[in-house]
C-alpha cells in the first residue's frame, strides 16, 4: 500500500488515500474500491512540460536525419514543449479522435509532479523537489518532423490523460528503473523502462531548472519511448508504470466526446 | 478602459488608469512609479507566433511560413512593467520582440474569422525576448530560447477591445536607451488576429485569460546588461523593461 492523492468528480478537494498499484485499488473511507469504479477527475493543477527525444531508442530512431537539414546536429539541451490546460483529462475519460484523423499516437510517460518551487536545482537535491508521480498519456496526431512545435498535433482538447492518482514520492524507490507498458485492447503493444532515459529524472530537473522555474503542481513528462502504438476509435488504452499506477482511457470519435451520464 | 494589476503597500489590486496615475478599487489614485506592476492578466495558455511579419522572416533568412508557427509559453516567463529581465552570462545575442498581445475573453471553439473579435477581451504589449544562442533545430524555438524566467515582460495595461478601433493597423516601436531601433505596423502580420483565433480554435478550445503574442517586425538588436528597452504599441501602451545580469 502507498499513499496517494486522488480527485473525485464533483468534489473540489483532493482525497488522500491508500492505493495499491499492483491491483488498481484504492482504500477510501475504510472501504476498498477498484479504481475503474471511482469517478476520477483530472489531478493536474500546474503547467505540464514534455521532453522530446529523451529515450535512447527515440533518439536513435531519428538516425542520420539528426545530422541533416533541418536539424543539422544533436540537441544540446532538453527539447521541451507544453501540454496546455485544455488537453488534460482524468483516468477513465475518453480520448477524442478528431474527425479528420484516422489514428492517434500513444505517448506513455512517467509524470513527475513537483512539490515546491525549483530554480537552479542541483542533481543531488533534485528528488527532494518532487511531490509524487503519475501516469501520463501524451497523445499526439502522428507527425514526423520535430523541427517546429507540434501544437496542432499535441495540444488538442483531451490529448493529455493523466492519473489515476498522484502517488507520493517515497512510494517509488527509483524513478529511473520503472517498467512502462502499453496495452491496447488488452494486448501488450509497447514495453520500455525509464532506465533507458538519456537524462534521468534528477538530471532533467537540474538541466531544466537551470533556465526556468518549475512550480509546485507543475508536471514534467520524462519522455515517450520509441515505437509509439497507434490507436483508432473504440480502442482501449492502458498504460502501466510499475509502482506508480495504471491509466486507462478509451478512444472515441470527437463528436461523441461527452461524459456518460445515467439519470 | 485601461486595466492593470499592481502591488501597492503589500496588497495586490486590480487597477484602472486614472489621470496621471493608477486608480485602486477603493478610489485611491497613486503614481505609476509608486506601484509594482504585475502582468495585467494572469496567464492561462499563452501562444506566441514565430515569423509572423514578412520583413522579420526575411531578416532571419527564413521563408515566410505556410502555416502559423505557434509555440507555447509557461507562466514562469512573465513579468510586469518596469521589471528586470535577466540576461544569461554566456549569451552573445539576446533580442527583444515588441508584440501586440491578444487576450481572450470568452471560451472559443471552432470560431469563424468573421466572428473572431467577439472573443477578444482586450490587448496589451509584450516583449518576447529570445536568447538566440540557444536556438537549436528541434521544436524550434525551444523553451530555453523563449521560456526563461523573466524573459517576457507584459503590460502595463490591458486595453478593452472596444477601445481599439483597428488592432490590425497599429504602429509598433522599440527604443533601446531612448534610441528607436524597431518600427513596424500590425498591418504587416502574415496571419492576422481573426485568422489566428480561427486557426487555433479550430483544433483546440481557447479560454478566458488565454493570450496570443502575435509576433514581431524587423529591427532586432542585441541588448546588454543595463539597457532600458521600451516596447510601445500605438494606443495600447508603453512597456518599460531593463536588462539585468544573471549572477546568483
Amino acid at each position: 500500500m502507498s499513499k496517494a492523492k486522488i480527485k473525485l468528480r464533483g468534489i473540489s478537494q483532493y482525497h488522500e488515500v491508500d492505493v495499491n498499484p499492483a491491483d488498481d485499488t484504492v482504500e477510501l473511507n475504510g472501504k476498498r474500491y477498484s479504481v475503474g469504479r471511482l469517478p476520477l477527475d483530472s489531478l493536474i493543477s500546474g503547467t505540464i512540460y514534455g521532453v522530446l527525444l529523451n529515450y535512447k531508442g527515440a533518439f536513435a530512431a531519428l538516425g542520420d536525419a539528426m545530422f541533416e537539414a533541418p536539424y543539422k546536429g544533436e540537441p544540446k539541451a532538453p527539447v521541451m514543449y507544453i501540454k496546455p490546460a485544455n488537453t488534460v483529462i482524468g483516468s477513465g475519460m475518453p480520448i477524442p479522435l478528431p474527425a479528420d484523423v484516422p489514428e492517434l499516437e500513444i505517448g506513455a510517460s512517467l509524470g513527475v509532479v513537483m512539490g515546491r518551487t525549483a530554480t537552479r536545482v542541483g542533481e543531488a537535491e533534485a528528488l527532494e523537489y518532487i511531490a509524487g508521480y503519475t501516469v501520463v498519456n501524451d497523445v499526439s496526431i502522428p507527425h514526423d518532423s520535430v523541427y517546429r512545435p507540434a501544437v496542432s498535433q499535441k495540444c488538442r482538447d483531451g490529448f493529455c490523460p493523466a492519473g489515476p492518482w498522484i502517488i507520493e514520492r517515497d512510494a517509488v524507490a527509483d524513478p529511473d528503473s520503472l517498467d512502462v507498458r502499453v496495452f491496447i485492447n488488452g494486448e501488450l503493444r509497447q514495453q520500455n523502462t525509464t532506465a533507458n532515459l538519456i537524462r534521468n529524472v534528477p538530471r532533467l530537473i537540474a538541466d531544466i531548472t537551470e533556465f526556468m522555474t518549475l512550480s509546485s503542481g507543475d508536471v514534467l513528462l520524462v519522455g515517450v519511448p520509441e515505437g509509439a502504438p497507434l490507436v483508432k476509435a473504440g480502442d482501449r488504452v492502458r498504460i502501466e508504470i510499475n509502482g506508480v499506477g495504471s491509466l486507462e482511457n478509451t478512444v472515441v470519435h470527437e463528436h461523441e466526446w461527452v461524459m456518460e451520464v445515467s439519470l | 478602459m485601461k486595466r492593470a494589476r499592481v502591488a501597492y503597500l503589500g496588497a495586490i489590486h486590480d487597477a484602472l488608469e486614472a489621470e496621471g496615475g493608477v486608480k485602486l478599487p477603493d478610489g485611491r489614485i497613486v503614481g505609476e512609479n509608486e506601484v509594482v506592476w504585475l502582468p495585467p492578466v494572469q496567464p492561462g495558455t499563452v501562444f506566441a507566433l514565430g515569423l509572423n511579419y514578412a520583413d522579420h522572416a526575411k531578416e532571419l533568412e527564413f521563408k515566410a511560413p505556410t502555416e502559423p508557427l505557434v509555440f507555447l509559453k509557461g507562466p514562469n516567463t512573465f513579468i510586469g512593467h518596469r521589471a528586470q529581465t535577466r540576461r544569461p552570462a554566456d549569451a552573445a545575442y539576446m533580442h527583444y520582440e515588441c508584440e501586440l498581445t491578444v487576450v481572450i475573453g470568452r471560451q472559443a471553439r471552432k470560431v469563424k474569422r468573421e466572428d473572431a473579435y467577439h472573443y477578444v477581451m482586450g490587448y496589451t504589449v509584450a516583449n518576447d525576448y529570445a536568447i538566440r544562442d540557444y536556438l537549436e533545430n528541434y521544436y524550434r524555438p525551444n523553451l530555453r530560447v523563449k521560456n526563461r524566467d523573466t524573459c517576457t515582460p507584459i503590460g502595463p495595461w490591458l486595453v478593452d477591445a472596444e477601445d481599439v478601433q483597428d488592432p490590425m493597423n497599429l504602429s509598433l516601436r522599440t527604443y533601446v536607451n531612448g534610441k528607436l531601433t524597431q518600427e513596424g505596423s500590425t498591418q504587416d502580420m502574415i496571419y492576422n488576429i481573426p485568422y489566428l483565433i480561427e486557426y487555433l480554435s479550430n483544433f483546440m478550445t481557447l479560454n478566458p485569460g488565454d493570450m496570443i503574442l502575435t509576433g514581431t517586425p524587423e529591427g532586432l538588436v542585441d541588448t546588454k546588461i543595463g539597457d532600458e528597452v521600451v516596447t510601445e504599441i500605438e494606443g495600447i501602451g508603453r512597456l518599460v523593461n531593463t536588462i539585468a545580469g544573471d549572477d546568483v
Side-chain angles (χ1 to χ4, degrees):
Chain A
M1 295 297 280
S2 303
K3 299 267 179 229
K5 286 198 298 188
I6 60 168
K7 192 145 184 316
L8 295 171
R9 225 177 280 158
I11 299 177
S12 64
Q13 67 192 344
Y14 288 109
H15 277 82
E16 297 200 350
V17 292
D18 288 315
V19 300
N20 185 355
D23 68 1
D24 295 338
T25 58
V26 175
E27 193 176 300
L28 177 66
N29 303 329
K31 217 176 144 189
R32 181 156 296 281
Y33 295 90
S34 163
V35 75
R37 305 202 53 92
L38 291 171
L40 295 177
D41 207 344
S42 151
L43 284 157
I44 311 295
S45 56
T47 306
I48 303 177
Y49 296 97
V51 183
L52 191 76
L53 302 172
N54 197 34
Y55 269 86
K56 288 173 187 160
F59 188 89
L62 208 49
D64 291 341
M66 186 169 279
F67 301 96
E68 293 159 7
Y71 310 116
K72 299 179 196 166
E74 298 181 0
K76 301 183 182 86
V79 181
M80 295 175 65
Y81 53 94
I82 291 173
K83 296 285 278 195
N86 64 300
T87 64
V88 181
I89 59 172
S91 175
M93 278 292 290
I95 300 165
L97 176 73
D100 54 345
V101 171
E103 289 180 312
L104 298 176
E105 205 169 271
I106 294 307
S109 181
L110 174 67
V112 176
V113 184
M114 304 305 291
R116 54 197 176 100
T117 307
T119 307
R120 296 187 176 184
V121 170
E123 253 179 273
E125 300 81 45
L127 294 183
E128 295 166 24
Y129 289 77
I130 295 171
Y133 302 92
T134 191
V135 183
V136 178
N137 186 351
D138 178 4
V139 179
S140 306
I141 293 172
H143 58 286
D144 292 327
S145 174
V146 290
Y147 182 48
R148 298 297 193 203
V151 173
S152 78
Q153 291 92 353
K154 279 184 163 297
C155 299
R156 302 205 175 208
D157 295 353
F159 268 27
C160 196
W165 49 58
I166 296 170
I167 201 159
E168 68 171 356
R169 176 189 65 209
D170 293 345
V172 175
D174 180 7
D176 299 312
S177 68
L178 300 175
D179 291 332
V180 178
R181 286 178 295 272
V182 179
F183 296 86
I184 311 293
N185 303 323
E187 183 193 333
L188 181 64
R189 293 279 301 278
Q190 189 185 29
Q191 193 163 13
N192 215 307
T193 160
T194 58
N196 288 330
L197 294 178
I198 293 171
R199 286 183 171 84
N200 66 15
V201 173
R203 177 80 198 283
L204 259 184
I205 291 174
D207 285 357
I208 290 168
T209 63
E210 184 268 323
F211 68 88
M212 57 173 276
T213 294
L214 295 173
S215 296
S216 176
D218 286 353
V219 180
L220 189 56
L221 311 184
V222 302
V224 169
E226 67 280 10
L230 297 173
V231 293
K232 53 191 187 319
D235 285 345
R236 187 164 44 87
V237 184
R238 177 179 169 89
I239 302 175
E240 293 181 358
I241 301 182
N242 268 18
V244 176
S246 301
L247 172 68
E248 270 200 45
N249 302 83
T250 300
V251 181
V252 300
H253 289 293
E254 189 176 40
H255 65 272
E256 291 167 349
W257 191 42
V258 287
M259 291 211 316
E260 267 179 55
V261 180
S262 38
L263 295 171
Chain B
M1 208 94 86
K2 291 187 170 184
R3 304 163 194 278
R5 288 171 63 244
V6 298
Y8 178 66
L9 298 180
I12 290 174
H13 303 272
D14 292 318
L16 296 175
E17 187 193 40
E19 285 299 312
V22 174
K23 188 177 177 187
L24 305 181
D26 62 11
R28 279 177 292 176
I29 294 179
V30 292
E32 80 151 291
N33 295 324
E34 296 174 69
V35 299
V36 174
W37 292 80
L38 304 173
V41 176
Q42 299 242 35
T45 297
V46 182
F47 304 90
L49 269 289
L51 311 177
N52 197 30
Y53 282 78
D55 54 359
H56 172 48
K58 201 173 135 212
E59 176 184 43
L60 296 176
E61 295 176 6
F62 296 128
K63 275 187 282 183
T66 52
E67 158 176 33
L69 195 179
V70 179
F71 53 98
L72 299 178
K73 296 171 81 87
N76 62 295
T77 190
F78 293 97
I79 57 171
H81 175 53
R82 294 192 185 281
Q84 291 184 336
T85 293
R86 291 154 68 87
R87 179 184 167 110
D90 63 350
Y93 187 18
M94 167 176 175
H95 61 71
Y96 53 77
E97 296 186 1
C98 176
E99 308 202 9
L100 178 65
T101 298
V102 181
V103 181
I104 298 295
R106 288 166 53 196
Q107 190 175 75
R109 295 196 76 225
K110 299 192 189 297
V111 169
K112 293 275 167 252
R113 233 169 285 189
E114 51 270 30
D115 302 324
Y117 282 122
H118 297 307
Y119 294 82
V120 175
M121 180 195 300
Y123 303 92
T124 187
V125 182
N127 180 352
D128 183 13
Y129 282 103
I131 320 295
R132 289 286 287 282
D133 302 62
Y134 308 141
L135 190 68
E136 298 181 47
N137 283 352
Y138 295 87
Y139 272 179
R140 182 177 188 158
N142 201 345
L143 272 64
R144 195 161 165 245
V145 180
K146 281 286 186 178
N147 197 49
R148 307 179 68 91
D149 291 353
T150 75
C151 278
T152 315
I154 190 163
W157 304 105
L158 170 68
V159 181
D160 289 350
E162 59 260 36
D163 296 336
V164 181
Q165 207 167 31
D166 184 3
M168 297 315 309
N169 186 19
L170 302 174
S171 58
L172 300 84
R173 287 187 190 86
T174 301
Y175 300 86
V176 178
N177 301 323
K179 189 181 157 216
L180 181 68
T181 53
Q182 183 182 35
E183 190 164 21
S185 166
T186 58
Q187 274 184 341
D188 297 330
M189 278 187 209
I190 297 169
Y191 298 108
N192 65 19
I193 291 166
Y195 184 99
L196 292 170
I197 291 174
E198 177 180 283
Y199 171 77
L200 293 168
S201 75
N202 186 49
F203 65 79
M204 61 189 287
T205 302
L206 308 181
N207 287 295
D210 289 356
M211 295 192 269
I212 306 170
L213 279 60
T214 54
T216 201
E218 72 178 336
L220 309 179
V221 301
D222 184 36
T223 50
K224 305 284 195 202
I225 293 171
D227 282 352
E228 184 199 67
V229 181
V230 177
T231 46
E232 184 178 47
I233 301 180
E234 177 187 1
I236 309 296
R238 183 177 172 275
L239 174 67
V240 179
N241 173 256
T242 310
I243 308 290
D246 202 17
D247 327 347
V248 176

